[in-house]
mmCIF file of all heavy atoms in Angstrom:
data_model
loop_
_atom_site.group_PDB
_atom_site.id
_atom_site.type_symbol
_atom_site.label_atom_id
_atom_site.label_comp_id
_atom_site.label_asym_id
_atom_site.label_seq_id
_atom_site.Cartn_x
_atom_site.Cartn_y
_atom_site.Cartn_z
ATOM 1 N N ASP A 121 -2.511 -21.469 52.028
ATOM 2 C CA ASP A 121 -1.163 -21.241 52.556
ATOM 3 C C ASP A 121 -0.805 -22.189 53.693
ATOM 4 O O ASP A 121 0.367 -22.399 53.975
ATOM 5 C CB ASP A 121 -0.999 -19.796 53.018
ATOM 6 C CG ASP A 121 -0.841 -18.832 51.861
ATOM 7 O OD1 ASP A 121 -0.510 -19.287 50.756
ATOM 8 O OD2 ASP A 121 -1.066 -17.624 52.058
ATOM 9 N N ASN A 122 -1.791 -22.786 54.351
ATOM 10 C CA ASN A 122 -1.515 -23.739 55.426
ATOM 11 C C ASN A 122 -0.847 -25.003 54.919
ATOM 12 O O ASN A 122 -0.247 -25.741 55.699
ATOM 13 C CB ASN A 122 -2.810 -24.121 56.159
ATOM 14 C CG ASN A 122 -3.419 -22.961 56.902
ATOM 15 O OD1 ASN A 122 -2.742 -22.014 57.256
ATOM 16 N ND2 ASN A 122 -4.710 -23.047 57.119
ATOM 17 N N PHE A 123 -0.953 -25.280 53.631
ATOM 18 C CA PHE A 123 -0.437 -26.521 53.075
ATOM 19 C C PHE A 123 0.818 -26.334 52.246
ATOM 20 O O PHE A 123 1.548 -27.291 52.016
ATOM 21 C CB PHE A 123 -1.519 -27.185 52.213
ATOM 22 C CG PHE A 123 -2.746 -27.498 52.996
ATOM 23 C CD1 PHE A 123 -3.840 -26.655 52.942
ATOM 24 C CD2 PHE A 123 -2.795 -28.604 53.829
ATOM 25 C CE1 PHE A 123 -4.976 -26.927 53.681
ATOM 26 C CE2 PHE A 123 -3.924 -28.881 54.569
ATOM 27 C CZ PHE A 123 -5.013 -28.041 54.498
ATOM 28 N N LEU A 124 1.092 -25.138 51.795
ATOM 29 C CA LEU A 124 2.191 -24.939 50.849
ATOM 30 C C LEU A 124 3.557 -25.148 51.466
ATOM 31 O O LEU A 124 4.485 -25.545 50.777
ATOM 32 C CB LEU A 124 2.089 -23.561 50.209
ATOM 33 C CG LEU A 124 0.820 -23.328 49.394
ATOM 34 C CD1 LEU A 124 0.858 -21.955 48.741
ATOM 35 C CD2 LEU A 124 0.631 -24.406 48.353
ATOM 36 N N ASP A 125 3.727 -24.918 52.758
ATOM 37 C CA ASP A 125 5.021 -25.126 53.383
ATOM 38 C C ASP A 125 5.331 -26.608 53.566
ATOM 39 O O ASP A 125 6.482 -26.998 53.589
ATOM 40 C CB ASP A 125 5.078 -24.436 54.750
ATOM 41 C CG ASP A 125 5.081 -22.925 54.619
ATOM 42 O OD1 ASP A 125 5.441 -22.416 53.544
ATOM 43 O OD2 ASP A 125 4.691 -22.246 55.582
ATOM 44 N N ASN A 126 4.292 -27.437 53.682
ATOM 45 C CA ASN A 126 4.488 -28.847 53.996
ATOM 46 C C ASN A 126 4.451 -29.759 52.781
ATOM 47 O O ASN A 126 4.967 -30.863 52.816
ATOM 48 C CB ASN A 126 3.417 -29.308 54.985
ATOM 49 C CG ASN A 126 3.500 -28.542 56.282
ATOM 50 O OD1 ASN A 126 4.588 -28.270 56.765
ATOM 51 N ND2 ASN A 126 2.369 -28.177 56.836
ATOM 52 N N PHE A 127 3.828 -29.330 51.715
ATOM 53 C CA PHE A 127 3.644 -30.187 50.556
ATOM 54 C C PHE A 127 4.095 -29.458 49.301
ATOM 55 O O PHE A 127 4.686 -28.401 49.353
ATOM 56 C CB PHE A 127 2.175 -30.630 50.446
ATOM 57 C CG PHE A 127 1.721 -31.392 51.658
ATOM 58 C CD1 PHE A 127 0.851 -30.822 52.563
ATOM 59 C CD2 PHE A 127 2.180 -32.678 51.899
ATOM 60 C CE1 PHE A 127 0.441 -31.525 53.692
ATOM 61 C CE2 PHE A 127 1.775 -33.383 53.016
ATOM 62 C CZ PHE A 127 0.903 -32.802 53.908
ATOM 63 N N THR A 128 3.789 -30.001 48.186
ATOM 64 C CA THR A 128 4.204 -29.409 46.925
ATOM 65 C C THR A 128 3.419 -28.136 46.637
ATOM 66 O O THR A 128 2.479 -27.791 47.343
ATOM 67 C CB THR A 128 3.967 -30.405 45.778
ATOM 68 O OG1 THR A 128 2.575 -30.721 45.734
ATOM 69 C CG2 THR A 128 4.764 -31.677 45.980
ATOM 70 N N ALA A 129 3.802 -27.474 45.577
ATOM 71 C CA ALA A 129 3.093 -26.268 45.138
ATOM 72 C C ALA A 129 1.678 -26.653 44.735
ATOM 73 O O ALA A 129 1.425 -27.794 44.341
ATOM 74 C CB ALA A 129 3.829 -25.634 43.973
ATOM 75 N N PRO A 130 0.745 -25.714 44.795
ATOM 76 C CA PRO A 130 -0.626 -26.052 44.408
ATOM 77 C C PRO A 130 -0.714 -26.411 42.933
ATOM 78 O O PRO A 130 0.124 -25.995 42.131
ATOM 79 C CB PRO A 130 -1.410 -24.768 44.710
ATOM 80 C CG PRO A 130 -0.394 -23.684 44.672
ATOM 81 C CD PRO A 130 0.894 -24.307 45.143
ATOM 82 N N LEU A 131 -1.723 -27.180 42.595
ATOM 83 C CA LEU A 131 -1.920 -27.540 41.194
ATOM 84 C C LEU A 131 -2.284 -26.296 40.399
ATOM 85 O O LEU A 131 -3.142 -25.521 40.793
ATOM 86 C CB LEU A 131 -3.028 -28.586 41.074
ATOM 87 C CG LEU A 131 -2.683 -29.941 41.684
ATOM 88 C CD1 LEU A 131 -3.912 -30.826 41.717
ATOM 89 C CD2 LEU A 131 -1.562 -30.603 40.912
ATOM 90 N N ASP A 132 -1.626 -26.128 39.307
ATOM 91 C CA ASP A 132 -1.850 -24.997 38.419
ATOM 92 C C ASP A 132 -2.901 -25.395 37.387
ATOM 93 O O ASP A 132 -3.044 -26.570 37.045
ATOM 94 C CB ASP A 132 -0.516 -24.669 37.731
ATOM 95 C CG ASP A 132 -0.572 -23.405 36.937
ATOM 96 O OD1 ASP A 132 -0.372 -22.338 37.520
ATOM 97 O OD2 ASP A 132 -0.824 -23.512 35.725
ATOM 98 N N ALA A 133 -3.626 -24.413 36.874
ATOM 99 C CA ALA A 133 -4.637 -24.692 35.847
ATOM 100 C C ALA A 133 -4.021 -25.413 34.656
ATOM 101 O O ALA A 133 -4.676 -26.260 34.035
ATOM 102 C CB ALA A 133 -5.311 -23.395 35.407
ATOM 103 N N ASN A 134 -2.768 -25.122 34.334
ATOM 104 C CA ASN A 134 -2.111 -25.784 33.203
ATOM 105 C C ASN A 134 -1.908 -27.276 33.443
ATOM 106 O O ASN A 134 -1.780 -28.040 32.498
ATOM 107 C CB ASN A 134 -0.780 -25.117 32.880
ATOM 108 C CG ASN A 134 -0.972 -23.723 32.334
ATOM 109 O OD1 ASN A 134 -1.842 -23.497 31.508
ATOM 110 N ND2 ASN A 134 -0.190 -22.786 32.809
ATOM 111 N N ALA A 135 -1.859 -27.692 34.711
ATOM 112 C CA ALA A 135 -1.735 -29.116 35.034
ATOM 113 C C ALA A 135 -3.092 -29.824 34.951
ATOM 114 O O ALA A 135 -3.142 -31.027 34.721
ATOM 115 C CB ALA A 135 -1.155 -29.285 36.433
ATOM 116 N N LEU A 136 -4.172 -29.079 35.115
ATOM 117 C CA LEU A 136 -5.506 -29.687 35.150
ATOM 118 C C LEU A 136 -6.242 -29.608 33.815
ATOM 119 O O LEU A 136 -7.127 -30.428 33.558
ATOM 120 C CB LEU A 136 -6.364 -28.998 36.221
ATOM 121 C CG LEU A 136 -5.884 -29.118 37.668
ATOM 122 C CD1 LEU A 136 -6.795 -28.326 38.581
ATOM 123 C CD2 LEU A 136 -5.809 -30.564 38.096
ATOM 124 N N TYR A 137 -5.902 -28.621 32.992
ATOM 125 C CA TYR A 137 -6.658 -28.380 31.765
ATOM 126 C C TYR A 137 -5.759 -28.480 30.539
ATOM 127 O O TYR A 137 -4.588 -28.117 30.594
ATOM 128 C CB TYR A 137 -7.314 -26.993 31.813
ATOM 129 C CG TYR A 137 -8.360 -26.910 32.907
ATOM 130 C CD1 TYR A 137 -8.016 -26.458 34.174
ATOM 131 C CD2 TYR A 137 -9.660 -27.303 32.668
ATOM 132 C CE1 TYR A 137 -8.968 -26.398 35.187
ATOM 133 C CE2 TYR A 137 -10.614 -27.252 33.683
ATOM 134 C CZ TYR A 137 -10.260 -26.797 34.938
ATOM 135 O OH TYR A 137 -11.193 -26.767 35.937
ATOM 136 N N GLU A 138 -6.342 -28.939 29.449
ATOM 137 C CA GLU A 138 -5.591 -29.087 28.196
ATOM 138 C C GLU A 138 -5.212 -27.750 27.600
ATOM 139 O O GLU A 138 -4.128 -27.566 27.092
ATOM 140 C CB GLU A 138 -6.415 -29.890 27.191
ATOM 141 C CG GLU A 138 -6.567 -31.345 27.625
ATOM 142 C CD GLU A 138 -7.486 -32.131 26.719
ATOM 143 O OE1 GLU A 138 -8.083 -31.551 25.797
ATOM 144 O OE2 GLU A 138 -7.594 -33.335 26.941
ATOM 145 N N SER A 139 -6.122 -26.801 27.628
ATOM 146 C CA SER A 139 -5.832 -25.459 27.123
ATOM 147 C C SER A 139 -6.701 -24.473 27.865
ATOM 148 O O SER A 139 -7.784 -24.792 28.315
ATOM 149 C CB SER A 139 -6.093 -25.375 25.618
ATOM 150 O OG SER A 139 -7.443 -25.651 25.347
ATOM 151 N N LEU A 140 -6.188 -23.275 27.990
ATOM 152 C CA LEU A 140 -6.934 -22.233 28.710
ATOM 153 C C LEU A 140 -7.310 -21.115 27.764
ATOM 154 O O LEU A 140 -6.713 -20.834 26.811
ATOM 155 C CB LEU A 140 -6.109 -21.684 29.860
ATOM 156 C CG LEU A 140 -5.762 -22.723 30.923
ATOM 157 C CD1 LEU A 140 -4.848 -22.108 31.965
ATOM 158 C CD2 LEU A 140 -7.008 -23.260 31.586
#
Side-chain angles (χ1 to χ4, degrees):
D121 284 341
N122 294 336
F123 300 99
L124 298 183
D125 291 338
N126 299 320
F127 300 108
T128 60
L131 293 171
D132 188 85
N134 292 317
L136 297 177
Y137 295 92
E138 292 175 355
S139 61
L140 298 175

